[in-house]
Amino acid sequence: MSQTSYALVTGASSGIGECFARALAGRGHNLVLVARTKSKLEALAEEFRKQHSVPAEPVEIDLSASGAAERLVRILEERRIVIDLLVNNAGFGARGKFWELPLDRQAQMIRLNLGALVELTHLLLPAMAAQRRGAIINVSSTAGFQPVPYTSAYAASKAFVTSFSEGLAQELRGSGIVVVTLCPGGTRTNFFAASQYGRPKLPGGMQRPEEVVEAALRSLDRGGGLVVPGLMNKLALASQRLLPRRVVARVTARLFRP
């Protein structure tokens, strides 16, 4: 990798995003770390510089804000940073009856889960296409494979991410650009607390975020594709195909009912 090429990780201050940053630093990638928590980003950047001798640029920005993706790209241009690996990881959920949850909170979630991901991909992809090399890892969820009552908008947002990413992968065939669509199930991060989910009882329990990231990077090395980490998650999704969707929705409603 050239000295001017960087991997950009959104939501890099914790959870799956932090694990991606650590794993990529260990692989020798230069890093742009993006999140809202400046102190955590700066601490991670300093750690990676010392332990792995890689440049690490912290960028404090709220990607759910209007125009945030464009502001981020302008910052990259000002610092003369070229992105050849984009990890769209930032996102959150909301649990409860759709009409009782605050509309502004759900709109913010949709802007982050969908809008920021699409905008960053659209803004950074042309340079990858011109160089005929690069990679995109879009973090979706097993929630995107079926309706999930009491977190309906979140599940729908992840269904969009999965469909968008798989479609984009086909558009980019033969371009030299790899697309990984990562669909983890329940993962041991602060996602549930930050999203005010509580702790739903998920089949198979929770995975370690390191396992999720390892699965994504293996797929990246092999040329990309759809990744569902964990045997129980794979079995759960396979079993859903045998059931009517209304039955699947009833089952997920029992799991996620507040």
Side-chain angles (χ1 to χ4, degrees), residues 82-235:
V82 175
I83 302 301
D84 66 358
L85 170 57
L86 170 62
V87 182
N88 280 311
N89 165 75
F92 70 91
R95 184 184 184 194
K97 294 178 179 177
F98 168 74
W99 65 93
E100 294 179 352
L101 292 168
L103 180 58
D104 58 349
R105 180 67 169 165
Q106 296 194 80
Q108 181 187 28
M109 176 186 70
I110 291 168
R111 286 195 302 271
L112 181 60
N113 294 6
L114 275 67
L117 180 147
V118 170
E119 290 169 16
L120 279 177
T121 302
H122 190 270
L123 292 167
L124 295 175
L125 187 52
M128 295 184 194
Q131 295 293 321
R132 295 192 63 80
R133 68 182 180 90
I136 299 167
I137 301 175
N138 286 335
V139 180
S140 186
S141 170
T142 55
F145 289 100
Q146 68 282 306
V148 184
Y150 305 107
T151 183
S152 298
Y154 171 77
S157 77
K158 291 304 184 178
F160 175 95
V161 171
T162 299
S163 179
F164 168 73
S165 302
E166 291 192 289
L168 184 64
Q170 290 303 310
E171 293 180 30
L172 290 169
R173 285 184 65 187
S175 70
I177 301 168
V178 172
V179 179
V180 175
T181 307
L182 177 61
C183 299
T187 308
R188 296 173 198 160
T189 68
N190 66 349
F191 172 86
F192 291 99
S195 300
Q196 300 176 335
Y197 264 49
R199 283 283 180 178
K201 295 181 179 179
L202 301 176
M206 300 280 187
Q207 276 187 292
R208 294 186 304 109
E210 291 84 0
E211 295 173 3
V212 172
V213 170
E214 287 168 9
L217 295 180
R218 282 197 301 271
S219 176
L220 179 67
D221 294 339
R222 294 170 182 170
L226 179 69
V227 181
V228 179
L231 178 60
M232 288 303 297
N233 291 323
K234 291 181 176 69
L235 291 175

